[in-house]
Structures are given as C-alpha cells and as structure tokens.
C-alpha cells in the first residue's frame, strides 16, 4: 500500500521537477538554483525509487524503469558528492550542476518513455501518435525559446513557434538570426530540438524502451515499426538502438572532422569552436540547415573552406539517404570485406546470403546518385558566370556546385549568394527541394523512391505495360498508387499555400513566395530572403507546411480519417467501373 502511494507521489513529482528545471534554466536570478537543491531532489527521488522496489507486485516494465532511473540518479549523486567533498573550487561546482541537471533530464526522458508505452496501448492509431509527438515538441520548444535566458531580447510567440517548428521539422527557415538573437542556452535548445526532430522523439523513446524490453508487447512492436518505417516487428527495438547509436557516432566523427578542418579558429564567430563543430555536425546530419554564423555557411570564414563543405555535404547525404538504406549498404560492404578476407587469408570462399542489397536500396542509391550528379553539373553550368564567379579555382567551383546540389534536397545550407541566383537555377532548386531526401531519413520532400517509382511507372505505361517490373520483380500496385497520391497531395497543398500567402502578402514577389513554400514543405530551409518580412498569417502557413512536410500529408490524413484500428482490411470488391482518362 505504501509503495503504491509512493508511485503516485512520484508521478506527481515528475512534472514538478520538469517545471523546476525550466525555471532554473530560464531565469538566471531564480533563488533556488543551487547545487544543494539539485542534489536534494536527486536524493529524494533515489529514496523513493529504493522503497518502491520492495513492492513484489510491480509490473516488469515498470520495475525495469525504476531500476534504470535509480542507477542513473544514484551514480550522478555519488559522483557529484565525491567531487564536492574532495574538490573545492567554482569550476567543480559548475560541473556538478551540469551533471545533476543532465541526469534529471535523462530521468524525465525515461519517465516519458514509460508514459509513451501506456499511450501505445490506449490509442490504436500510430499515425496520430506520430503527429501529436511533433506538434507537442514544437509547442514545448517555443516555450523554452521564449524563456528570458534563451534570447538576447524578448521575442514574440509566433517567432518562437516558427523557430521551434523549423528546428523540430529540421527545416532551417528562420525569422531571427540564430547567432545574434539567441543566447548560448537558446542555441542548445535549438540543437536539442533538431536532434529530437531529426531522429523523432518516438525513436528516442524506443531507444529507452530497449531497456524495458522484458515487458514489451507485440502491439507496441507494431507501433514502433511504424515509427521506424520498417515492415517487420522482429528486433524492432534493436533497430531503434542502432539508429540512435549510429546517429551519435556519425555526429561525433563529423564534429571532429569539422573541428580539424577549420585552420584559423579565430575567424569563426561562435561561442567556441568546439560548440560550432558539434552544432554544425548535428545540424548537417539531421538536414536542418541551422547555423551559428550570421550569414550561414556563406560567411567569409567558411565560404572558401572547401574541405569543410565536403564534410558537411557527406554528413547531410548520410542523414538524408535513410537509416534502412545505410544499414543494408553497410551490411553488403561488411560481407564483401569478409569474403575477400576469407579468400586471401584462409584460402576458401565465403558465401554471403543472396540478395543482400535490397531493391529498395538500389532504387534509392541510384536515384540519389543521379540527382546529385545532375544537380552538380547544372549548378556548375548555370552559375558559372554568376554566383560561382567569386570562386577562382576549378575544383572550388565543382565542390561548391556539388555542395549546392546536395544541400538543395532538404539540407538548407547555402554557400552561394541566394540573391544573385539566375531564374533557371531557382527553378532547378525548387525541383530538387520538392523531391527531397529518402524515406526513413532525417530529410523531407516527396522522397526519392516516390519520384523514382512514379517516373518508372510512366515509362512502363508508355511502353504499353499494365504493370511495373524492376529487375525481374513486380512492384505492388498499392505502392504505385501511394506514390502518385503523395505527389498529388504535395502539389495541392503547395498550390493552396502559395495562394494564401499571395493574398496575405501581396507585396512579395510570386517567385520568392513559391520558393519559400516549396522550401517549407520539403523542410529544406533555403530562402530568397523574405521569411522575416512575412506577416504573422503567412508565418503560420509556413509553420503548418513544415509540420506537414516532416510528418507527411498522407500520414496526417491517415491519422485523422482512419478508424481506431492498427490496420484495416476490406473483404469485399465492387464491380469495376470504367472512366475515360485520355
């Protein structure tokens, strides 16, 4: 009985701790912001967890959550206590505050994870949960960005919501200057929102759910597989762990490469070169386009740093190609290395499974490669005598062209002067933005596989075939219908949004508005410079577009229109009706 009351008290205490953390971070003169309070909170929670564990009737998943939380908080408390006891200086106290604060945030994340597992059981609509997670994160981010300690000057709610949504949807469109208008804390909030939005908060909670897997049900596995865009429920939690660990590994490697690519550290206008490297590594891999430089990557300090641009290019390509594709491709590389190792050192053949590289991987990689090459050549030709003229070297022009081709598909960085782009380049950029990245990635757009399937189906119909066949495999008609539905919905949403913004801001150029709308919907973040001058109504339209682009219009329709069941099957068919098409 006592343990149950303690559990209820702990449920009430968690949101109070969260509010306390917000006050502690947001208001510098907050009187209770001291190390003693932090340690006192951690000690109380540890004791509550310790007594709750005596309840033998605890559900397995809840017990796992309590044990994991207790270990994290207890280790943090012991570590902090030892540091204070044996070291006595200001830096140690500051470090202990950070340790305790981080441990409390991780604790809250673990509690949210367990709460999400309860939501999985109550709500039978994966798409609806997916939508709500992004909307909730956008509003929570706007509250954090409005805190006094987050900005240099006060900002309006609409600007905070716009920035938060842009970060969560990994877009990069901004109505404020990230480097000047936000403090160091504000930039950390933005970076956190980018990471959570890029991976998806549900992927993060699935990562923590891995530690509760002894109580993980088949139904929950179905939900997580929907979030991770995988057709199987086998080892779905392991996939979530792989996604998170792979992301963190690539971002760490990217940050190190960026750090060493900056030759003159004094030229970077940032809080610190290390923070600059971490920020841009995460921003690039998540395809967000946010930068801590006032002029973005067009800043003179990095505009001619071609090594830096190549690093950013490969980071955003890795982030935009899709986790499933990357894991499948790396599996093929591993088997190939293993094959030659056996052949050279053990004088025997190693036979790896047939069809290691899936058809999906082949289509996505081929489409991505073709778009990169096509975009690079086009940028080089169309901008050679325009924005590329400031790059004197031959290889510099090609690297900038390659960077522009890669970043136009949902990344949002730019190293060319957007105001001097030729009209034909602007239209090409709109086309690349519309296609976007690949499925199950951190990017947006209609996706490369959608575009490829629609294009190949058109070619197949032109040849008189009534079905689509690729490499001796027939593509299901459902996928073709889905591809054309996504394309049609994107055109409808984009067209309506352009009409609304033209009505709300008639003074703006229609080409700039169209560019802005395509950029928001594809979560790219490139702009011709009109974002900050738009009216509040137009900003709200762009906010909605960014959410629709990140979540997917079809997912929104499924979440709102599908009945409360995980999947629906129709066991009847009507007689066929003929309609004239052409």
């Amino acid at each position: 009985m006592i343990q149950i009351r303690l559990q209820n008290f702990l449920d009430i205490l968690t949101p109070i701790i969260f509010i306390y953390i917000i006050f502690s971070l947001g208001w510098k003169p907050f009187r209770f912001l001291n190390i003693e309070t932090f340690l006192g909170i951690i000690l109380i929670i540890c004791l509550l967890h310790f007594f709750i564990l005596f309840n033998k009737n605890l559900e397995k998943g809840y017990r796992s959550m309590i044990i994991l939380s207790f270990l994290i908080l207890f280790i943090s408390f012991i570590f902090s206590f030892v540091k204070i006891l044996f070291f006595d200086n200001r830096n140690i106290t500051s470090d202990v505050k950070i340790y305790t604060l981080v441990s409390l945030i991780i604790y809250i994340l673990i509690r949210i994870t367990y709460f999400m597992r309860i939501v999985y059981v109550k709500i039978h609509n994966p798409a609806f949960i997916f939508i709500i997670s992004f909307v909730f994160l956008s509003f929570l981010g706007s509250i954090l960005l409005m805190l006094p300690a987050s900005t240099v000057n006060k900002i309006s709610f609409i600007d905070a919501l716009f920035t938060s949504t842009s970060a969560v949807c990994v877009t990069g469109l901004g109505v404020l200057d990230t480097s000047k208008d936000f403090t160091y804390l504000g930039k950390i909030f933005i970076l956190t929102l980018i990471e959570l939005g890029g991976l998806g908060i549900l992927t993060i909670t699935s990562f923590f759910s891995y530690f509760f897997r002894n109580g993980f049900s088949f139904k929950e596995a179905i939900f997580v597989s929907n979030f991770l865009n995988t057709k199987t429920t086998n080892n779905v939690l392991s996939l979530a762990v792989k996604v998170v660990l792979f992301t963190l590994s690539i971002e760490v490697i990217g940050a190190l490469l960026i750090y060493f690519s900056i030759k003159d550290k004094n030229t970077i206008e940032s809080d610190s070169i290390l923070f600059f490297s971490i920020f841009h590594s995460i921003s690039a891999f998540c395809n967000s386009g946010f930068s801590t430089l006032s002029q973005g990557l067009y800043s003179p300090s990095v505009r001619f740093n071609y090594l830096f641009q190549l690093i950013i290019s490969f980071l955003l390509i890795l982030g935009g190609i899709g986790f499933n594709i990357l894991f499948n491709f790396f599996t093929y590389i591993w088997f190939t290395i293993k094959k030659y190792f056996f052949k050279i050192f053990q004088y025997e053949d190693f036979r790896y499974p047939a069809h290691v590289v899936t058809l999906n991987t082949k289509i996505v990689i081929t489409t991505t490669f073709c778009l990169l090459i096509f975009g690079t050549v086009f940028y080089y030709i169309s901008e050679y005598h325009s924005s590329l003229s400031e790059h004197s070297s031959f290889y510099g022009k090609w690297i900038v062209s390659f960077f522009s081709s890669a970043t136009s598909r949902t990344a949002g960085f730019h190293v060319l002067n957007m105001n001097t782009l030729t009209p034909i380049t602007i239209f090409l950029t709109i086309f690349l933005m519309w296609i976007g990245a690949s499925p199950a990635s951190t990017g947006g757009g209609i996706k490369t596989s959608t575009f490829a399937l629609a294009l190949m189906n058109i070619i197949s119909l032109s040849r008189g075939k009534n079905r689509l066949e690729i490499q001796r495999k027939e593509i299901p008609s459902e996928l073709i219908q889905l591809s054309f539905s996504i394309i049609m919905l994107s055109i409808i949403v984009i067209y309506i949004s352009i009409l609304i913004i033209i009505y709300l801001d008639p003074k703006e150029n229609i080409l700039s508005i169209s560019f802005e709308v395509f950029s928001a919907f594809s979560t790219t973040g490139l702009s011709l410079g009109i974002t900050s001058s738009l009216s509040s109504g137009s900003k709200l339209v762009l906010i909605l577009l960014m959410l629709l682009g990140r979540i997917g219009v079809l997912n929104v329709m499924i979440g709102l229109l599908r009945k409360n069941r995980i999947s629906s099957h129709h066991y009847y068919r009507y007689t066929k009706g003929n309609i004239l098409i052409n």
Side-chain angles (χ1 to χ4, degrees):
M1 188 67 182
I2 296 176
Q3 283 84 1
I4 294 174
R5 289 181 179 177
L6 290 176
Q7 288 177 231
N8 295 334
F9 178 71
L10 201 59
D11 293 337
I12 299 171
L13 189 62
T14 301
I16 295 174
I17 293 170
F18 179 71
I19 294 171
Y20 168 75
I21 291 173
I22 290 178
F23 271 86
S24 301
L25 292 173
W27 281 269
K28 292 180 180 178
F30 188 56
R31 62 180 295 182
F32 296 107
L33 177 58
N34 53 61
I35 193 61
E36 291 81 8
T37 309
F38 276 114
L39 289 176
I41 291 172
I42 290 176
L43 181 60
I44 290 170
I45 298 174
C46 284
L47 290 173
L48 289 173
H49 281 61
F50 180 75
F51 287 117
I52 289 172
L53 286 173
F54 284 104
N55 185 1
K56 296 180 180 180
N57 298 321
L58 281 179
E59 184 259 334
K60 289 183 179 179
Y62 191 84
R63 182 180 292 276
S64 299
M65 184 267 292
I66 291 294
I67 292 173
L68 181 62
S69 302
F70 175 77
L71 288 175
I72 289 172
L73 293 174
F74 185 70
I75 291 170
S76 173
F77 178 81
I78 295 298
F79 184 75
S80 303
F81 186 75
V82 169
K83 273 218 165 191
I84 293 173
L85 193 63
F86 293 99
F87 302 94
D88 186 21
N89 61 65
R90 190 173 297 176
N91 291 331
I92 294 298
T93 305
S94 178
D95 291 342
V96 168
K97 282 183 182 178
I98 294 172
Y99 298 148
T100 52
L101 185 61
V102 168
S103 64
L104 284 172
I105 292 172
I106 293 173
Y107 164 73
I108 290 172
L109 272 175
I110 294 171
R111 297 285 300 186
I112 291 173
T113 300
Y114 188 79
F115 172 75
M116 290 304 301
R117 295 186 66 204
I118 299 174
V119 173
Y120 294 161
V121 177
K122 299 293 183 183
I123 300 178
H124 304 277
N125 195 328
F128 182 74
I129 298 175
F130 188 66
I131 295 165
I132 292 299
S133 68
F134 277 95
V135 174
F136 170 75
L137 203 56
S138 297
F139 276 97
L140 177 61
S142 63
I143 293 171
L144 294 176
L145 293 178
M146 287 185 71
L147 296 175
S150 298
T151 55
V152 176
N153 300 307
K154 289 183 178 180
I155 61 173
S156 63
F157 173 73
I158 188 70
D159 287 345
L161 182 62
F162 191 99
T163 306
S164 174
T165 307
S166 183
V168 170
C169 298
V170 289
T171 305
L173 281 175
V175 290
L176 300 169
D177 190 331
T178 307
S179 65
K180 294 179 179 178
D181 294 326
F182 292 97
T183 61
Y184 186 71
L185 178 65
K187 292 169 188 172
I188 291 176
F189 282 147
I190 291 173
L191 192 61
T192 305
L193 292 171
I194 290 171
E195 188 74 287
L196 291 175
L199 287 174
I201 190 170
L202 298 170
T203 306
I204 303 294
T205 55
S206 300
F207 169 75
F208 284 109
S209 290
Y210 181 78
F211 302 100
F212 315 147
R213 65 187 185 277
N214 53 354
F216 204 75
S217 67
F218 175 74
K219 182 180 177 181
E220 290 173 278
I222 293 176
F223 276 91
V224 177
S225 65
N226 273 275
F227 304 143
L228 296 175
N229 201 13
T230 179
K231 299 298 181 184
T232 177
T233 57
N234 294 331
N235 300 321
V236 69
L237 287 184
S238 299
L239 178 60
V241 172
K242 286 180 183 177
V243 167
V244 174
L245 294 180
F246 176 81
T247 300
L248 294 176
S249 301
I250 294 296
E251 287 170 349
V252 168
I253 294 170
L256 291 173
L257 292 174
I258 291 172
Y259 183 87
F260 291 111
S261 70
I262 307 297
K263 295 178 181 178
D264 189 359
K265 305 290 192 289
N266 297 322
T267 59
I268 301 298
E269 43 176 304
S270 182
D271 300 277
S272 72
I273 188 63
L274 180 61
F275 180 73
F276 169 87
S277 303
I278 294 171
F279 190 99
H280 284 81
S281 178
I282 294 174
S283 183
F285 184 79
C286 291
N287 280 236
S288 76
F290 274 91
S291 175
T292 56
L293 302 174
S294 292
Q295 295 179 271
L297 301 192
Y298 187 68
S299 173
S301 57
V302 294
R303 191 190 309 171
F304 303 102
N305 189 335
Y306 303 121
L307 176 60
F308 170 78
Q309 292 175 25
L310 281 175
I311 294 168
I312 295 292
S313 298
F314 285 111
L315 281 172
L316 58 91
I317 290 171
L318 283 174
I321 207 167
F323 294 108
N324 293 327
I325 308 299
L326 286 172
F327 293 152
N328 185 237
F329 187 67
F330 286 146
T331 301
Y332 171 75
I333 292 175
W334 168 246
F335 278 134
T336 303
I337 294 172
K338 201 172 182 180
K339 175 184 176 181
Y340 284 104
F341 178 84
F342 271 77
K343 191 173 183 179
I344 295 171
F345 295 102
Q346 297 190 10
Y347 305 102
E348 61 180 88
D349 289 332
F350 170 76
R351 294 184 180 180
Y352 48 78
H355 309 297
V356 175
V357 180
T358 63
L359 180 61
N360 180 50
T361 300
K362 292 176 182 177
I363 289 175
V364 168
I365 289 181
T366 303
T367 308
T368 301
F369 180 78
C370 291
L371 288 172
L372 282 171
I373 297 301
F374 170 73
T376 301
V377 174
F378 200 101
Y379 271 104
Y380 185 83
I381 295 172
S382 64
E383 292 298 315
Y384 188 87
H385 296 293
S386 184
S387 57
L388 281 176
S389 58
E390 61 181 334
H391 299 273
S392 56
S393 63
F394 174 77
Y395 70 90
K397 291 183 189 300
W398 277 109
I399 290 175
V400 170
S401 300
F402 174 74
F403 180 90
S404 301
S405 175
T407 193
S408 295
R409 292 187 17 257
T410 83
F413 294 111
H414 66 95
V415 290
L416 295 175
N417 188 347
M418 298 296 292
N419 297 321
T420 62
L421 293 181
T422 59
I424 192 171
T425 305
I426 293 174
F427 275 101
L428 170 75
T429 305
I430 287 175
F431 172 70
L432 292 175
M433 289 193 300
W434 178 63
I435 294 175
S438 302
S441 71
T442 58
I446 64 168
K447 309 301 184 187
T448 52
S449 55
T450 302
F451 174 75
L453 279 185
L455 186 61
M456 286 187 286
N457 187 56
I458 292 171
I459 296 171
S460 180
L461 289 172
S462 302
R463 290 177 175 175
K465 294 184 177 181
N466 59 1
R467 58 182 182 268
L468 179 59
E469 298 170 336
I470 305 173
Q471 293 188 347
R472 297 184 179 181
K473 289 188 177 182
E474 183 179 339
I475 305 301
S477 59
E478 292 83 0
L479 291 180
I480 298 169
Q481 292 173 9
L482 186 63
S483 298
F484 279 102
S485 298
I486 291 171
I487 290 172
M488 195 63 196
L489 282 170
S490 71
I491 293 171
I492 292 171
V493 170
I494 288 170
Y495 184 76
I496 292 173
S497 301
I498 291 173
L499 285 179
I500 294 173
I501 295 179
I502 288 175
Y503 175 76
L504 294 174
D505 289 279
K507 64 182 183 299
E508 300 293 349
N509 181 274
I510 187 171
L511 181 60
S512 299
I513 291 174
S514 301
F515 192 92
E516 201 83 8
V517 168
F518 272 94
S519 180
F521 180 80
S522 61
T523 68
T524 303
L526 291 175
S527 174
L528 295 178
I530 67 167
T531 314
S532 57
S533 61
L534 292 174
S535 62
S536 296
S538 296
K539 289 177 184 177
L540 284 173
V541 172
L542 292 179
I543 288 171
L544 184 61
L545 271 175
M546 287 187 285
L547 285 169
L548 288 175
R550 183 69 181 96
I551 298 167
V553 183
L554 200 59
N555 284 332
V556 173
M557 293 183 69
I558 290 171
L560 296 177
L561 301 179
R562 179 177 287 180
K563 294 180 181 179
N564 289 334
R565 45 179 181 247
I566 293 174
S567 62
S568 58
H569 300 280
H570 300 288
Y571 300 101
Y572 62 88
R573 298 190 76 165
Y574 293 116
T575 56
K576 293 182 179 180
N578 293 320
I579 298 174
L580 293 178
I581 297 295
N582 193 4

